[in-house]
């Protein structure tokens, strides 16, 4: 579902932001896809209020809501869809955590049920693994990337 060049851009983003988590959004359709490299604002939030945001960008990510809405609105205006969300796990495996699931759902339902959720494991500044997850009606299940 994701083009090879899109995956390469995501991998490059994950390596560039190491040892912090990267995050982003892929919009478009099957043939024409765009990667939106988003800023992980987790370090800023942690610096402003470490009690409320105890994790920094090495173990968490958050896309600024205004940036998120701008990307999604622009895609909709162009007749494009949100194809995928991605983030990296520096020095950890590529799994979809409970926090990841909670961030992608509202009252237990995903905001974008058709979107892939790509998690990239980066170890020693090299891509270690990548896994994809998708809503199956009850939770986020691992899917083959094809």
């Amino acid at each position: 579902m994701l083009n090879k060049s899109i995956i390469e851009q995501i991998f490059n983003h994950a390596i560039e932001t190491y040892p912090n988590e990267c995050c982003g959004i892929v919009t478009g359709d099957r043939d024409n896809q765009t990667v939106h490299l988003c800023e992980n604002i987790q370090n800023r939030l942690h610096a402003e209020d470490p009690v409320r945001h105890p994790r920094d960008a090495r173990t968490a990510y958050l896309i600024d809501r205004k940036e998120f809405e701008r990307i999604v609105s622009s895609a909709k205006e162009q007749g494009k869809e949100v194809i995928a969300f991605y983030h990296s796990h520096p020095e950890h495996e590529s799994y979809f955590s409970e926090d990841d699931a909670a961030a992608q759902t509202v009252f237990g339902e995903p905001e974008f049920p058709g979107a892939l959720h790509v998690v990239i494991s980066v170890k020693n500044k090299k891509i270690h693994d990548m896994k994809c997850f998708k809503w199956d009606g009850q939770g986020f299940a691992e899917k083959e990337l094809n």
Side-chain angles (χ1 to χ4, degrees), residues 66-111:
K66 288 180 183 175
E67 181 179 20
F68 174 85
E69 290 175 1
R70 180 185 52 76
I71 292 168
V72 171
S73 295
S74 176
K76 286 182 181 176
E77 288 172 9
Q78 297 172 34
K80 304 293 183 181
E81 295 183 27
V82 173
I83 297 172
F85 298 95
Y86 70 89
H87 71 280
S88 61
H89 284 173
E91 301 305 327
H92 293 280
E93 298 298 321
S94 52
Y95 60 91
F96 203 68
S97 71
E98 289 183 21
D99 287 344
D100 293 334
Q104 297 299 325
T105 55
V106 179
F107 301 114
E109 296 291 327
E111 189 173 357

Side-chain angles (χ1 to χ4, degrees), residues 9-35:
Q9 290 177 61
I10 291 171
F11 284 177
N12 287 337
H13 192 204
I15 291 169
E16 289 168 7
T17 59
Y18 179 91
N20 294 327
E21 292 193 10
C22 72
C23 52
I25 303 169
V26 180
T27 60
D29 54 41
R30 184 174 181 85
D31 299 321
N32 189 6
Q33 301 176 351
T34 302
V35 176

Side-chain angles (χ1 to χ4, degrees), residues 118-134:
V118 180
V119 183
I120 306 102
S121 168
V122 184
K123 295 186 177 182
N124 296 319
K125 205 168 184 174
K126 294 179 181 174
I127 300 300
H128 175 71
D129 190 18
M130 177 181 79
K131 291 184 179 171
C132 300
F133 302 86
K134 193 170 186 179

